[in-house]
Amino acid sequence: MANKVIVETTINGDPVELLCEPRQSLLEVLRDVLELTGSKEGCLTGDCGACTVVIDGRPVCSCLMLGVEAAGKQISTVEGLASGTALHVLQQKFLEHASLQCGICTPGFLMSAKALLDHNPNPTEAEIRYALAGNLCRCTGYDKIVRAVTDAAATMAGRSRPAHGAVPAETASGMTGEMLAKGEVK
Amino acid sequence: MASDQSPEFKVIGTRPVRPDGIDKVTGRAKYGADYALPGMLHGKVLRSPHAHARIRSINVERALRLPGVKAIVTGADFPEVKGVMAQVGELIVNTHYLSLNVMARDKTLYDGHAVAAVAATSKHIAEEALELIEVDYEVLPPVMTAEEAMRPDAPVLLEELRTRLMTHRTDPGSPEGPDRPSNVPGHIRFERGDLAAGFRAADFVVEREFVTAAVHQGYIEPQNALAVYGADELVTIYCSTQGAFNVRTLTSSVLGIPEGRIRVVPAEIGGGFGGKTTVYLEPVAALLAKKSGRPVKMVMTRAEVLRATGPTSGIKARVKIGATRNGQITAAEVWLAYEAGAFPGSPFAPGAMCTLAPYNIENLRIDSFDVVVNRPKVAAYRAPGSPASAFACECVIDELAEQCRLDPLEFRLRNASHEGTPQPAGPAFKKIGLVETLEAIRASDHYRAPLEGPSRGRGVACGFWFNGGLQSSAVVNIHSDGSVSVVTGSVDIGGTRATQAMIVAETLGVPVEDVRPVVADTDSIGQTDVTGGSRTALATGMAVLEAANDALAQLISRAAKLWDKKPNEVVFAEGTFRPADGGAPPMTLRQLAGRLARTGGPVVGRATVNAGAVGAVGNAFATVCVDVEVDPDTAKVRILRCTIAQDVGRALHPAYVEGQLQGALAQGIGWALNEEYFYDQKGTLRNFGLLDYRMPTCLDLPMIETLVVEVPNPHHPLGVRGVGEVGIVPPMAAVANAIYRAVGVRMAELPMSPPRLLKAMLATRAEPFEEQATAAD
């Protein structure tokens, strides 16, 4: 009796066919099946955000979603954030502002911040804090993370359009609130 | 105050991007759980559901029959380990109890205590197998707090324990009290002067009791280990740890395998804060690997991290301090009891040594007790022992300042320790920067800004931590293209690769980007103690500096050889070698590096240091100022503004120094306001997830202002003191003192969570609120 299911999905722009058990979370599939270990496991209960990926434009805790639910979705992970060897502005700003100490939460923060900036290119400090409240960092006290995201937004706004993954403006309003309820996002 | 760059340095004091940065923002960096090997099995631990129980029997037959299960170990598979008090880095470890903590034998001593472990072909099968293991427990009454455990009629956790009185931290102690089983294995006492006379001389005496909750380090990456046990009886362990050499030593003692047969490869580490200085999974994974003949990987769940890895102690404290009307402290008496968890070894001694360290007090007595309770064995947590005892004393100091009608900073300045002041444990301080941190806060924009509005208040507090020295090794390789690699055994937990590269670049006059730092495994570098004790920039930095200077001396000899000169006839400046007499054109380091083969082969600089005992080297102080607003209806505390001033000696990479200060203050705010364990009557942990063990999110905190104070450490070649820990010491009292000024309530218990604070606030109000007070309880 076969236990595994074939799932067709798109990860970082590439079509992917994978085989997973129905009980495996998306995080487990990313890490253990596809060897994309950039998404981290901190809690498996959706409380720490270290496993955040962006699915169809929304940040999702990949530990709260089953691998089989990835079928037909567009999934972005930290491995796909840079364009080749060119870092995303957020990655660059996290480095410039020393926004990481141990770095285990960094992939999740980057993906939550990317989802925020894709929908709201000019967030206030309060909006940034709200959008990142589902990601725990124990090292930094968040100060340098908030500064990096603020700076990234300013840098990206200085261009004619956001560097990566711009989304239509009409989806922007109210997104931060929805984004916090990551677990409910399908 | 720190300028970003001191004139005498070119690289030190600047803010280059960390060398491991790109790996860590692209997901490429390999943390412990990211390792995988062909044929690898997955291990899971069965944990006791009882806080205190005798194990009558364990039956693993059914679990072994589950397809995919390859090996099971229980306490019976572990060797008997004699109780040796081993100094392992900054820890003093009783190896017998360490072994019992790794795997229970006849008794389980806390909810979550490991009783068996399974290796299977998938983690899901391993989890299923755990449910098939039958353990017959005889449940015993648990003891959950220090106060209960110290009662003469309290249930005894470990029959063999007797109380021993110590007079210094490494004192084995002498028997105290009756020769009968005790839950209080350690008592340390420091005293000097005439306590009674001191209190008689006081115009004001404040005496209070305090309780602080146990809190967890809260690193985001759970513990993990991947072990390979070869047919050659060589064990290789990949894991996330603050100290690969600690893992080697401790695994060796738990398994009875010589250290030389164990190689530990430190992975990138996802936070530690002291909690990853010991072993939990490593010996278990190694034993499962031996039994199954295959690599075994184990990763804890968050619930396991909270149930079974070291928090820091909750404490009970009594503090009595007297002062004259003009604000001179005349006497202090402090009593502290630290919950050690299931086995002896709380930070009761450092807690006692730090608590009144900021003050010059002629007459004092400090008693501190190590108390075993049915909770997980505590592990180090950022300045272990100091934050809880500082909370107690700094709240009393604030109250005394108020009675003396003095500004709380002024009161502290009138009594502040400085060079020559005897520490509570006796030895006099060398050059320290407490006064400078107090004055930095007093002169800050924050402290000078008015704070207006109802239910708002400002509080300050200060604190002390030793900062470690200990052993480090470093190797500096000069490569033929002029690039340099620097190899150390110090795991990079917060940017220390960057500081090491900077020290090398500064010494050799090469661009910092040309220096590649490497964190080596235990076979590839000399003994290096933990990344902990605020010692990495300090002690490993010292080794790196010496290794770079060693390489430089060799380079100078090679240049001399090329020019047919003596080494003292070669001048090195700004990355360039030149003959003193100008008889030949100068050579850059890169040019010289290309000619090493012809002058005797590669240049490798080496250094090892023992930067001294814990407490002898860094000696750091911090002062924190916090503004709060208390919601009058819910008692939720909002942090409006916070500033930390800390004496770091010398800031090598100011951005990572600020980061340490900010992170420490943030953890302190969590400790002050939210974090605690909820155990039920049976001693079962009820909040074993990060939703209910509530650490600060970025919505809970404002920007964190840092004042990096630099009073150079005269005992370090670069003036470094170390920076990681002391920032967590003052925040709890600073928040409590701010809450007092906001709502007039002096909190004596941590955390000052809404239910606890609301109850205290309602108790001060008029009669009709009585009912609500009960409801809020």
Side-chain angles (χ1 to χ4, degrees), chain B residues 67-142:
Chain B
V69 172
K70 299 294 177 187
I72 296 180
V73 294
T74 67
D77 294 281
F78 284 77
E80 206 54 48
V81 178
K82 286 210 177 94
V84 178
M85 300 301 286
Q87 175 95 31
V88 182
E90 60 171 357
L91 309 173
I92 298 168
V93 180
N94 180 314
T95 51
H96 173 65
Y97 293 129
L98 175 72
S99 165
L100 296 191
N101 194 40
V102 165
M103 192 61 70
R105 308 295 155 81
D106 55 336
K107 251 181 141 185
T108 69
L109 290 160
Y110 54 92
D111 169 34
H113 199 164
V115 295
V118 175
T121 49
S122 88
K123 51 190 164 195
H124 300 288
I125 294 173
E127 274 165 6
E128 285 170 19
L130 295 185
E131 291 173 27
L132 301 176
I133 297 175
E134 295 149 24
V135 185
D136 184 13
Y137 293 104
E138 177 195 344
V139 179
L140 303 169

Side-chain angles (χ1 to χ4, degrees), chain A residues 23 31 40 100 102 142 144, chain B residues 18 31 34 128 658 696:
Chain A
R23 65 181 168 185
R31 290 179 53 83
K40 303 302 180 190
L100 50 140
C102 81
Y142 306 101
K144 292 181 189 299
Chain B
R18 61 194 288 170
Y31 291 78
D34 302 337
E128 285 170 19
E658 292 158 6

Side-chain angles (χ1 to χ4, degrees), chain B residues 499-688:
Chain B
T499 58
Q500 288 160 9
M502 290 166 75
I503 291 170
V504 172
E506 184 78 55
T507 309
L508 297 179
V510 296
V512 70
E513 304 77 37
D514 287 357
V515 184
R516 187 190 302 268
V518 176
V519 178
D521 66 62
T522 52
D523 279 356
S524 310
I525 189 73
Q527 171 74 37
T528 298
D529 290 319
V530 289
T531 296
S534 304
R535 64 171 291 282
T536 306
L538 187 156
T540 303
M542 210 185 268
V544 166
L545 178 66
E546 285 183 21
N549 277 323
D550 181 29
L552 181 59
Q554 295 176 50
L555 289 167
I556 287 172
S557 313
R558 301 302 179 86
K561 201 168 178 183
L562 282 171
W563 290 324
D564 202 17
K565 304 268 183 205
K566 294 191 178 109
N568 62 7
E569 291 167 341
V570 174
V571 177
F572 175 76
E574 306 196 350
T576 303
F577 301 84
R578 63 187 80 232
D581 62 5
M587 244 187 317
T588 62
L589 188 142
R590 176 179 293 203
Q591 289 168 329
L592 178 56
R595 298 180 193 177
L596 294 180
R598 281 187 277 143
T599 57
V603 162
V604 176
R606 293 179 304 172
T608 64
V609 301
N610 187 341
V614 174
V617 196
N619 287 193
F621 287 88
T623 302
V624 163
C625 180
V626 176
D627 294 353
V628 303
E629 182 177 74
V630 182
D631 185 312
D633 297 320
T634 66
K636 179 173 164 42
V637 175
R638 191 156 73 98
I639 305 290
L640 301 173
R641 188 172 182 183
C642 55
T643 303
I644 173 168
Q646 183 175 322
D647 174 21
V648 306
R650 168 97 59 210
L652 297 175
H653 190 305
Y656 287 108
V657 167
E658 292 158 6
Q660 289 294 321
L661 272 53
Q662 290 166 335
L665 180 46
Q667 282 186 319
I669 287 170
W671 197 334
L673 294 178
N674 292 100
E675 296 176 33
E676 64 182 310
Y677 284 54
F678 293 94
Y679 280 97
D680 65 18
Q681 301 247 308
K682 293 176 174 171
T684 308
L685 184 63
R686 303 308 294 266
N687 60 329
F688 46 78

Side-chain angles (χ1 to χ4, degrees), chain A residues 23 28 31-32 40-42 47 78 91 95 100-104 110 129 138-144, chain B residues 18 25 31 33-34 123-124 128 216-217 220 269 302 493 655 658-659 662-663 667 675 696 698 701 704:
Chain A
R23 65 181 168 185
E28 193 181 334
R31 290 179 53 83
D32 296 353
K40 303 302 180 190
E41 177 185 324
D47 297 313
V78 71
Q91 293 171 311
L95 293 179
L100 50 140
Q101 287 177 28
C102 81
I104 195 86
L110 287 168
R129 289 186 181 276
R138 192 61 158 172
C139 294
T140 64
Y142 306 101
D143 183 298
K144 292 181 189 299
Chain B
R18 61 194 288 170
V25 297
Y31 291 78
D34 302 337
K123 51 190 164 195
H124 300 288
E128 285 170 19
H216 197 273
Q217 295 83 353
I220 305 300
I269 178 169
R302 178 57 52 179
I493 209 163
E658 292 158 6
Q662 290 166 335
Q667 282 186 319
E675 296 176 33
C698 66
L701 297 170
I704 300 172

Side-chain angles (χ1 to χ4, degrees), chain B residues 24 434 573 593 634 672 727:
Chain B
K24 285 177 177 167
L434 167 63
T634 66

Side-chain angles (χ1 to χ4, degrees), chain B residues 176-528:
Chain B
E176 183 181 57
D179 180 24
R180 57 164 198 211
S182 163
N183 291 327
V184 188
H187 170 201
I188 195 163
R189 167 172 286 188
F190 302 117
E191 59 183 335
R192 66 167 169 255
D194 182 338
L195 211 56
F199 281 117
R200 277 198 304 277
D203 295 307
F204 305 109
V205 174
V206 174
E207 184 171 8
R208 297 280 176 260
E209 280 195 13
F210 299 88
V211 174
T212 73
V215 293
H216 197 273
Q217 295 83 353
Y219 35 81
I220 305 300
E221 179 204 33
Q223 265 86 354
N224 51 71
L226 166 56
V228 183
Y229 201 108
D232 49 7
E233 304 242 306
L234 280 174
V235 184
T236 306
I237 299 171
Y238 304 82
C239 64
S240 161
T241 175
Q242 290 175 246
F245 286 87
N246 267 26
V247 171
R248 190 177 73 168
T249 306
L250 298 175
T251 303
S252 158
S253 34
V254 170
L255 296 182
I257 299 171
E259 283 195 34
R261 310 298 296 173
I262 302 172
R263 180 169 73 105
V264 178
V265 184
E268 295 302 328
I269 178 169
F273 314 104
K276 291 179 184 165
T277 55
T278 185
V279 295
Y280 300 97
L281 297 176
E282 292 87 346
V284 181
L287 209 51
L288 284 169
K290 181 182 185 182
K291 222 168 172 176
S292 65
R294 287 166 66 169
V296 174
K297 177 171 164 178
M298 305 182 80
V299 181
M300 284 196 194
T301 62
R302 178 57 52 179
E304 289 181 284
V305 169
L306 287 167
R307 286 172 71 202
T309 70
T312 193
S313 305
I315 77 164
K316 169 102 184 169
R318 287 197 289 273
V319 177
K320 179 181 175 187
I321 306 179
T324 61
R325 210 170 300 280
N326 67 357
Q328 191 69 45
I329 298 174
T330 57
E333 188 178 6
V334 180
W335 181 98
L336 305 162
Y338 281 74
E339 292 160 8
F343 302 103
S346 71
F348 71 111
M353 293 160 81
C354 291
T355 183
L356 288 167
Y359 307 106
N360 187 356
I361 304 173
E362 208 174 313
N363 309 296
L364 68 79
R365 181 160 72 216
I366 303 171
D367 288 286
S368 188
F369 299 87
D370 189 25
V371 188
V372 292
V373 292
N374 290 112
R375 291 167 174 258
K377 165 73 173 71
V378 299
Y381 180 26
R382 213 165 199 156
S386 185
S389 60
F391 164 67
C393 283
E394 286 293 290
C395 288
V396 171
I397 292 285
D398 195 70
E399 206 172 334
L400 274 172
E402 186 192 23
Q403 295 201 1
C404 296
R405 294 170 195 276
L406 283 173
D407 170 276
L409 289 174
E410 175 60 26
F411 183 90
R412 286 172 171 83
L413 281 163
R414 288 188 186 184
N415 296 283
S417 292
H418 43 74
E419 188 171 359
T421 302
Q423 300 178 36
F429 277 118
K430 295 167 185 165
K431 191 166 178 56
I432 52 172
L434 167 63
V435 167
E436 287 81 352
T437 69
L438 291 164
E439 283 177 344
I441 290 290
R442 190 155 71 169
S444 66
D445 292 344
H446 180 175
Y447 200 69
R448 293 155 69 98
L451 177 64
E452 284 156 4
S455 303
R456 292 181 165 193
R458 173 171 297 161
V460 297
C462 61
F464 168 70
W465 182 248
F466 311 102
N467 291 3
L470 305 173
Q471 299 181 90
S472 286
S473 310
V475 170
V476 170
N477 299 297
I478 310 294
H479 300 290
S480 59
D481 65 347
S483 68
V484 183
S485 58
V486 52
V487 185
T488 74
S490 287
V491 175
D492 186 351
I493 209 163
T496 51
R497 281 187 183 92
T499 58
Q500 288 160 9
M502 290 166 75
I503 291 170
V504 172
E506 184 78 55
T507 309
L508 297 179
V510 296
V512 70
E513 304 77 37
D514 287 357
V515 184
R516 187 190 302 268
V518 176
V519 178
D521 66 62
T522 52
D523 279 356
S524 310
I525 189 73
Q527 171 74 37
T528 298

